Amino acid sequence: MKIIIIGSVAAGTSVAAKARRNSEDAEITIYNADYDISYSICGIPYYLGGEVEELETLTPRDAAWFKKRYNVDIHTRHEVTSIDYENKKVIIRDLENDEVKEDSFDKLVLATGSSPVTPPIPGVELDHVFQVRTIQNAFFIDQYMQSNNPAKATIIGAGFIGLELAEQLKHKGMDVTLIQQDAQVMSHLDKDVASRVEKELEDHGINLMVNETAEEITCNVVRTHSGVEVESDMVFLAIGVRPNTKLAKEIGAEVGPTGAIAVKANMETTIPDVYAAGDAAESFSVITNEPIYRPLGSTANKMGRIAGDAITGGSLEHRGILGTGILRVFHLAVGQTGLSEREALAHGYDIEVLHNIKPSNADYLGGKEMVIKAIADRESGRLLGVQIVGERGVDKRIDVFATAMTFKAKAEDLFHLDLAYAPPFSTTKDPVIYTGMALDNAITNKNKLMTPERLSTLIESEQKLQIIDTRAPHQYEKSNVPGAVNIPLAQLRTRLDELDPSVTTITYCNKGVTGNASQNILQNNGFEEVYNLSGGNKNYQAFVR
């Protein structure tokens, strides 16, 4: 059997490695238009910022290594220009000498990746305008920085790469401006979580411009649609990627609703014997079972392994993804998995939303605050999505949530997880467990929650409410929810006669725990409709900001 793979970064090399592990008989050839193989695109911002000292560490393997290890022939700087599917042939152009040749296949894999989106504006072709996608990009950007010593950088786009670049260029001592077309950074996050990331950026001196688009790039400024001119010695285009589907379309392979190549569970396309994997291929959501596109290296490696196994007679199948992601923004880690609140509502779920503010580990051993936003389906109790921001412990919590959600965990199931505990690493009631407890109580109406957004809407509508601030007077005086009365928890039982049990009541403290205790007292004393403000006053004030 002869296998040809087009593309040799994450997915393509994973296909080849798995196929070879399964079969010594297969003849495996990879064609790749780029100079490098199996490199870490995600590591490039950290090389540009100096955290990664040598560019070569992002390219740990070359074609010779693959030949020796796996007996796989990799031809770099060879572009597959067309596919003759009827005759099972590919047409290849050698980019070094322009020679054209043919090669035949029994099985073909499209690991063609994705390409960065270039906005259709004047100036994108200028020498100081860059995209971060390949090792060659990284080399030329570094050379430009060494030769020109730029002081001001503008980044167009505030997704993963844009934010990582902002952090790293700031570490290099540059003045950094971020221009984002959407109303917030990281558009896959909910606004109340993204706002915390925006504050972190601004606290570190990043000039953040949201609801703004670049309309022209000149040799020294970026002009926006609102007329602002941003002085720029360097400009980075980081507005996303599009799957490379040209070859797939030419042979009639179906392209899915996301714009990526549609594949079966074994990664085969709608054309027999033709497979697709990585950034070129479409995935599907573990939550909704609908097609989604999340071009991440972790997913590409997984898809590649499945394709390589399927081609050589294995039974591996793709089980979908949650779209789990994480990045560092200065002191904050930002993690996300599953659906956002916005996405869950758009899919028709009746949701419960919790904001859980807890330390990463014991306070007396330097625990750092995390804000966990969790979304669950009220009808089934199933956990739908989680977003976390914090300085420490975010990575392991988001992975626990992702694992639980992969196995369709309900909110109540989180309480029963047997998670590792010691004071340097966690709290006795881990934030994951507490999240499950509070969400389940809200779903079963034992302890109802109210989000800051909903409370603000009710206040604006002038609905009759009873809002009780259960903190100490000095905390209340510093900041509070409009219309709230201050009745500290210790006084609540003796001051019940000041309250009306028939009026919708909202309790709150600083983060949520004391508010919950107050909620229980009121409910046990016959109050009919009592909510605890999700995330307390701290979360409310962040929402208002």
Side-chain angles (χ1 to χ4, degrees), residues 272-300:
D273 297 326
V274 178
Y275 297 74
D279 285 8
E282 190 171 73
S283 189
F284 68 93
S285 167
V286 170
I287 303 295
T288 67
N289 288 318
E290 295 179 2
I292 58 173
Y293 182 63
R294 296 287 190 276
L296 293 171
S298 52
T299 301

Side-chain angles (χ1 to χ4, degrees), residues 54-182:
E54 300 294 334
L55 187 58
E56 290 74 19
T57 59
L58 302 183
T59 56
R61 301 175 183 90
D62 58 16
W65 184 93
F66 249 85
K67 179 64 175 176
K68 184 176 181 180
R69 176 83 172 231
Y70 292 112
N71 190 26
V72 170
D73 293 313
I74 300 182
H75 301 278
T76 58
R77 300 295 292 152
H78 281 69
E79 180 186 11
V80 174
T81 57
S82 63
I83 302 166
D84 179 358
Y85 177 72
E86 185 177 352
N87 294 302
K88 294 286 186 77
K89 292 181 179 180
V90 293
I91 313 302
I92 309 115
R93 182 164 64 94
D94 186 330
L95 298 178
E96 294 297 331
N97 58 29
D98 216 31
E99 290 183 0
V100 176
K101 67 176 183 177
E102 294 181 351
D103 200 354
S104 60
F105 64 87
D106 298 303
K107 304 286 185 179
L108 178 66
V109 183
L110 304 175
T112 45
S114 59
S115 296
V117 176
T118 302
I121 60 174
V124 293
E125 75 288 345
L126 295 173
D127 290 343
H128 70 302
V129 180
F130 299 95
Q131 290 172 320
V132 177
R133 193 61 186 167
T134 68
I135 295 299
Q136 293 297 306
N137 292 155
F139 175 79
F140 289 121
I141 293 168
D142 183 57
Q143 290 294 303
Y144 185 90
M145 292 170 72
Q146 291 187 41
S147 300
N148 296 275
N149 195 27
K152 298 178 180 181
T154 296
I155 302 164
I156 302 172
F160 281 86
I161 292 292
L163 295 185
E164 289 165 348
L165 279 171
E167 177 201 70
Q168 291 299 307
L169 296 177
K170 191 67 179 179
H171 287 336
K172 294 279 281 189
M174 299 176 70
D175 291 335
V176 179
T177 296
L178 262 175
I179 298 176
Q180 171 74 337
Q181 184 175 10
D182 293 337

Side-chain angles (χ1 to χ4, degrees), residues 286-426:
V286 170
I287 303 295
T288 67
N289 288 318
E290 295 179 2
I292 58 173
Y293 182 63
R294 296 287 190 276
L296 293 171
S298 52
T299 301
N301 272 283
K302 189 183 302 179
M303 286 179 161
R305 178 180 172 85
I306 293 167
D309 186 67
I311 289 168
T312 50
S315 59
L316 279 179
E317 291 190 340
H318 186 43
R319 298 182 182 180
I321 61 172
L322 291 162
T324 306
I326 190 167
L327 80 157
R328 186 188 69 198
V329 182
F330 296 103
H331 294 152
L332 282 186
V334 186
Q336 171 267 332
T337 189
L339 304 181
S340 65
E341 179 182 359
R342 180 180 65 253
E343 290 169 336
L345 291 171
H347 279 89
Y349 289 103
D350 177 19
I351 61 173
E352 192 63 60
V353 179
L354 167 71
H355 297 82
N356 183 20
I357 303 176
K358 289 290 181 289
S360 58
N361 57 290
D363 286 324
Y364 54 81
L365 281 177
K368 297 293 185 179
E369 186 175 277
M370 293 186 298
V371 179
I372 301 173
K373 180 175 183 178
I375 300 106
D377 176 32
R378 288 190 59 84
E379 181 179 353
S380 65
R382 185 180 178 186
L383 194 61
L384 300 176
V386 178
Q387 299 160 57
I388 313 177
V389 292
E391 293 187 29
R392 185 184 300 169
V394 171
D395 53 347
K396 79 170 184 175
R397 271 52 180 239
I398 204 67
D399 282 342
V400 171
F401 282 120
T403 302
M405 289 166 61
T406 297
F407 295 105
K408 298 180 171 54
K410 297 180 179 181
E412 64 179 284
D413 296 327
L414 299 178
F415 170 72
H416 299 283
L417 294 176
D418 186 16
L419 302 178
Y421 163 68
F425 305 105
S426 184

